[in-house]
Each structure stands twice: as structure tokens, then as C-alpha cells.
Amino acid sequence: MVLQDLGRRLNSALQSVSASSTIDEQALDAVLKTVCSALLESDVNVLLVKRTRERVKRQVLPQLEEIQHKQGTDHDAMAGNKAKQLIHKAIFDELVALVDPGDDAPPAFNPVKGKTQVIMMVGLQGAGKTTTCTKLATHYQRRGLKVALVCADTFRAGAFDQLKQNATRAKVPFFGSYTETDPVSISLQGVNKFRAERFDVIIVDTSGRHRQESELFDEMCQIQDAVEPDMTVLVLDGAIGQAAEAQSEAFKEASNFGAIIVTKLDGHAKGGGAISAVAATHTPIIFIGTGEHLHDLEKFAPRPFISKMLG
Ligand code: GDP
């Protein structure tokens, strides 16, 4: 189920609560059944869905009983409304919790003007790294920061040309090489050059592979050791589904990335896999990619995201 459909399904489940005349445990189970099957069909990890269901029930049931107990003395309609609000809030909060790694997760990274900060992008080939690098560069540039791009992808033929084209279109200075084959050397040269020129943000685009493999992780760690990024960002394809959890865990172990950008959430992505990656790696999503164009990047925040999804 794609993300927009998930939103519609969740919304109609919540509306069915509002329309229902009796709010009791049975009604709560019915709405949770719809919510949970919608989440599962969107590839949210089964254990997370189970946890969501249990947490909503644990939160709602005692209060629901209390409301029902009072119902004799209270106006029925008022008690009913209270119960409906309770269920709405509990489900909304748990949906937010799915995409929120919590207060003990690393804080969102905000580059500042006047000091050089290096961002390294990692992820599998095709996830959208190169596209996202330029989007991110443009985002920071529009906020007044001096930004440059470094292409450390020597694995994929045409990677440098792609970054060069994107960077030129976005008017972002870039560094790369057609002849140098060592990604560590290129990234270091690029970062050193832009550091010396006092750029605020240097974004390093690394190469991916079609699948996780030790060669990719070795290269990633070597680049990381060389350029010492202030932030490593995992770029995750929003359409990868259930594989997202294992993939993000493997990248977390190898690179200890501090933020996630989920791409392609405009298309037919189910998105649930990416949601599971947040929980699996305890790392915040900072942006989402919503198209192929330069400005198709949205800042991510859990509450507004869920509100918008529910429409
Ligand atoms: P890389 O191999 O990780 O560097 O991936 P690329 O940046 O080359 O992106 C792979 C494909 O995904 C390209 O066709 C991009 O235009 C496309 N792409 C990247 N981000 C998005 C996005 O947010 N939405 C859509 N629809 N396509 C995207």
C-alpha cells in the first residue's frame, strides 16, 4: 500500500471511531485491526505493528473503563466523545512514535555559518544519494550557507558526470576526478580544498553497490576515517519495503550514521520499511525526497508528517 493510501486508510479507521455509537473494547479492537493491517500492508515491521497495537490498548483500556463506569452519571454523548478523543489521541501518538526515535536519539544536525562541517552520504546504489546531495546543498545554500559537493564515487561510471551536471544546474561548486580511482584520495582532496576555501558545508557523495557487501563497507569506513564527517547520512529508498530494517542496521553498524533521508516518497513507495528503519537504528529521519527535482526535498518532523499523512 503506498503512503497516500495508508494515510487514507488510517484516516477512515479514525473516522469510523467518530461515527460509532458505542465505544467499548470491541470498537477499539476493530479500529486497531484496520490500523494494524494498513501498517502491515505498507511494510511496517510486524513487531513494531504489534507493539503499536499493545501500547494503544494499554493506554486506552483503563481510561475507557473509567469513562464507561461514569457513563451512568455523565451525559452519554459527552462520555462517548471523551472516549473517541482518547482513542484518536492514543493512535495518533503511537503513529508519531513509529517515526520518532525518541529524546535519547541524536539531535537533528543543523550546520551553522562560519565553520566547516562535512556531511557524508552513504547508501546503496540507486537509493538517490547523488540526487539528494544536490538537493541538500541547495537547501543549505538557500539558508545562506556556503556549500560545496565532493564526488567520491569512483565505482559507478558516470557518477561524476551526474554530480557535475546537477551541481552546475544548482550553481554549487563541486570537486571530482575522471582519472583518480581512489575514492579516499578524492574525498580527502575535495574536502581539504573546500576547507581551505572556508566553505560552511561540504557534502561528500560516496559510491553505493547494488547490495550490501564488505567492499562497500570497507570503502565507506576508509572515507569516513579520512574526512572525519560531522554527520553521516544514510540515504534510504522509500520503496525498499521490508528489506529496510536489515539494510539500515548493517549501515548503522558499519558507519554509525546519525541521520536518515528517505527518498522517493512521492511515487509508489510504501514507506513502511523506512519507518521501521528509524526504530531499528534509533536514528531520526531529517528530510524526505518527494521528487526528482532540485527542490523536491522536505524537512521531516514526526508530528507534522503524521498529521499530513492523515490529511
Ligand atoms: P544513487 O545511485 O544513490 O546516487 O542514486 P541517484 O541519485 O542516481 O538516483 C537514482 C534514481 O532515483 C534517479 O533516477 C533519481 O532521479 C531518482 N530519485 C532520487 N530521489 C528521488 C525522489 O525523491 N523521488 C523520485 N521520484 N525519484 C528520485
Side-chain angles (χ1 to χ4, degrees):
M1 189 190 305
V2 304
L3 212 55
Q4 287 94 329
D5 291 341
L6 171 64
R8 269 195 289 276
R9 260 277 296 270
L10 294 174
N11 200 7
S12 84
L14 290 175
Q15 274 172 9
S16 73
V17 175
S18 305
S20 166
S21 55
T22 351
I23 301 293
D24 51 13
E25 185 170 357
Q26 234 177 339
L28 175 64
D29 280 337
V31 67
L32 279 176
K33 195 169 171 214
T34 315
V35 166
C36 291
S37 56
L39 291 172
L40 287 172
E41 282 169 42
S42 297
D43 276 340
V44 178
N45 172 285
V46 64
L47 292 175
L48 278 183
V49 175
K50 194 165 164 250
R51 193 188 72 184
T52 302
R53 188 175 170 279
E54 285 166 0
R55 280 170 46 155
V56 171
K57 283 198 83 161
R58 207 177 318 132
Q59 224 174 302
V60 170
L61 277 182
Q63 293 186 62
L64 199 59
E65 273 165 24
E66 207 175 297
I67 292 171
Q68 277 166 340
H69 186 69
K70 277 191 187 163
Q71 214 158 8
T73 54
D74 225 340
H75 292 297
D76 278 5
M78 225 159 79
N81 281 341
K82 241 192 221 169
K84 286 170 190 175
Q85 277 169 14
L86 181 69
I87 294 177
H88 272 234
K89 184 175 179 315
I91 292 178
F92 182 83
D93 287 349
E94 286 308 319
L95 291 174
V96 170
L98 281 176
V99 285
D100 191 341
D103 292 340
D104 50 343
F109 173 71
N110 262 326
V112 292
K113 213 171 164 47
K115 84 179 219 219
T116 301
Q117 294 126 107
V118 177
I119 300 177
M120 177 173 156
M121 310 287 267
V122 299
L124 289 192
Q125 189 164 323
K129 275 184 308 303
T130 306
T131 313
T132 307
C133 279
T134 322
K135 286 181 181 178
L136 198 59
T138 308
H139 171 85
Y140 291 136
Q141 215 175 33
R142 288 165 98 195
R143 270 147 197 80
L145 298 170
K146 198 175 158 194
V147 191
L149 288 165
V150 175
C151 175
D153 185 353
T154 52
F155 181 78
R156 179 163 64 97
F160 180 40
D161 270 333
Q162 187 191 348
L163 181 124
K164 195 170 155 180
Q165 254 176 30
N166 290 352
T168 308
R169 205 174 308 136
K171 299 193 172 58
V172 177
F174 60 89
F175 180 89
S177 167
Y178 287 112
T179 49
E180 174 63 71
T181 53
D182 177 11
V184 179
S185 165
I186 294 192
S187 49
L188 202 52
Q189 284 174 49
V191 167
N192 286 343
K193 169 183 153 61
F194 292 126
R195 243 184 223 289
E197 294 171 15
R198 298 191 175 279
F199 274 76
D200 298 315
V201 179
I202 306 170
I203 301 174
V204 182
D205 185 15
T206 65
S207 75
R209 300 287 190 275
H210 285 302
R211 53 188 184 83
Q212 294 146 225
E213 49 191 59
S214 57
E215 194 192 333
L216 166 65
F217 287 154
D218 290 347
E219 180 181 305
M220 198 167 69
C221 294
Q222 284 169 24
I223 298 176
Q224 217 172 21
D225 286 348
V227 303
E228 298 180 43
D230 297 270
M231 169 61 81
T232 301
V233 177
L234 173 70
V235 179
L236 201 59
D237 185 331
I240 65 168
Q242 298 282 355
E245 201 188 340
Q247 193 184 111
S248 58
E249 274 175 341
F251 271 95
K252 185 76 178 181
E253 207 181 305
S255 75
N256 193 25
F257 58 82
I260 301 173
I261 296 182
V262 183
T263 61
K264 310 183 195 178
L265 284 184
D266 50 305
H268 296 292
K270 292 182 176 180
I275 288 172
S276 312
V278 172
T281 62
H282 211 57
T283 311
I285 297 173
I286 51 170
F287 288 96
I288 55 173
T290 53
E292 295 189 71
H293 298 113
L294 207 54
H295 299 300
D296 296 334
L297 185 75
E298 291 178 15
K299 240 186 154 140
F300 181 89
R303 272 184 183 271
F305 176 76
I306 297 296
S307 292
K308 191 175 162 197
M309 189 172 81
L310 293 176

